[in-house]
Amino acid sequence: MNKDMKNIEAVVFDMDGVLLDTETICDRTWAMAAKTFGLDSQVDFVNECRGTNLHDTSIIFKKHLGQDFDVDGFMKLTSEYFHEIEFSEGIPLMPYAKEILEYLKPKYRIVLASSTRGESVKRQLTNAGLIDFFETRTTGDMVTHSKPDPEIYRLACQSIGMKPENCVAVEDSPNGIKSAAAAGLNVIMIPDKIKPTEKIKALCSNIFDSLQGLKTVL
């Protein structure tokens, strides 16, 4: 913990639950879809799916609910509900999101590694006024396996020609932390919906209550 960050040249941000409060909206939409599908109002394996793309979410669903479960139909419904909320209410920024990007931008290269599809990432970051902070965006539709697989973080580092050891990932979920650590990045955790276990703490250089904590090490 509290690792020296003097070799860091780039900061790789996750989006959901780190910059945008999409996780709160997702929990609402999953509960709504679960009710429609006759499942418990809150699918109890939701935390396993945080930070994964549609392909890996499908595998998790079928593990818990059987191979015949209509994952595509469920996810299509959550997506429809999400868009309704996004366009009627907007997506709130996480605390200090814009301030920390403004602080870091002159000092580091800033890139994104999000399991969300590129089209949604572009729209949501644009609407939030954050899109111009990012040099590159590596998204869920660009990888075969999403977090916790290291592929997305390896690609994000390659996108700016950086070695992983010279990059730090900013993540909120265990899947994201495992992905970044396996790719060889330093990891800073800002917990959102899931508190870190001892195993997750061991993979992190630092853990802060909010994004403002990044100013103490970067």
Side-chain angles (χ1 to χ4, degrees):
M1 294 288 285
N2 296 315
K3 243 191 200 179
D4 187 358
M5 294 280 171
K6 65 171 183 274
N7 295 325
I8 299 301
E9 297 175 45
V11 185
V12 188
F13 279 90
D14 175 39
M15 183 181 78
D16 299 298
V18 173
L19 298 171
L20 302 182
D21 191 12
T22 46
E23 296 292 337
T24 298
I25 299 174
C26 283
D27 286 355
R28 284 168 63 188
T29 65
W30 279 47
M32 291 158 73
K35 195 172 180 182
T36 304
F37 272 73
L39 305 170
D40 291 336
S41 63
Q42 192 60 285
V43 181
D44 59 8
F45 51 87
V46 63
N47 283 343
E48 287 181 54
C49 301
R50 292 193 199 278
T52 61
N53 63 9
L54 285 173
H55 175 269
D56 291 346
T57 295
S58 179
I59 292 170
I60 294 165
F61 260 84
K62 290 182 176 180
K63 180 180 78 176
H64 287 277
L65 299 175
Q67 292 300 312
D68 295 333
F69 183 78
D70 182 12
V71 184
D72 290 342
F74 185 93
M75 296 311 296
K76 185 170 180 288
L77 192 55
T78 63
S79 182
E80 287 169 7
Y81 287 143
F82 190 98
H83 285 127
E84 284 174 21
I85 295 170
E86 178 183 349
F87 292 117
S88 63
E89 301 176 20
I91 302 173
L93 288 174
M94 295 298 285
Y96 311 108
K98 193 161 191 178
E99 293 93 320
I100 202 65
L101 289 169
E102 287 171 344
Y103 168 79
L104 294 172
K105 185 69 173 171
K107 303 169 70 177
Y108 300 94
R109 300 178 77 176
I110 308 288
V111 299
L112 195 84
S114 171
S115 296
T116 300
R117 288 182 307 118
E119 180 189 335
S120 298
V121 166
K122 185 178 180 182
R123 182 185 69 250
Q124 291 169 11
L125 287 179
T126 299
N127 290 341
L130 302 181
I131 192 101
D132 291 337
F133 287 103
F134 297 96
E135 191 173 333
T136 64
R137 302 186 300 272
T138 306
T139 54
D141 45 357
M142 296 167 67
V143 297
T144 305
H145 295 292
S146 63
K147 307 168 185 179
D149 191 277
E151 182 183 1
I152 195 165
Y153 274 102
R154 286 181 182 145
L155 281 178
C157 294
Q158 287 169 17
S159 74
I160 51 168
M162 280 282 177
K163 292 179 180 177
E165 58 264 34
N166 297 126
C167 302
V168 62
V170 184
E171 273 284 357
D172 68 304
S173 72
N175 281 335
I177 287 155
K178 289 174 186 174
S179 171
L185 288 81
N186 297 273
V187 188
I188 295 175
M189 184 181 193
I190 317 290
D192 180 28
K193 301 296 183 189
I194 311 173
K195 300 305 173 199
T197 62
E198 290 305 312
K199 283 184 179 178
I200 292 299
K201 286 178 183 177
L203 297 177
C204 298
S205 303
N206 297 273
I207 299 174
F208 298 116
D209 291 336
S210 77
L211 288 168
Q212 208 170 24
L214 271 61
K215 290 184 179 180
T216 63
V217 291
L218 292 172

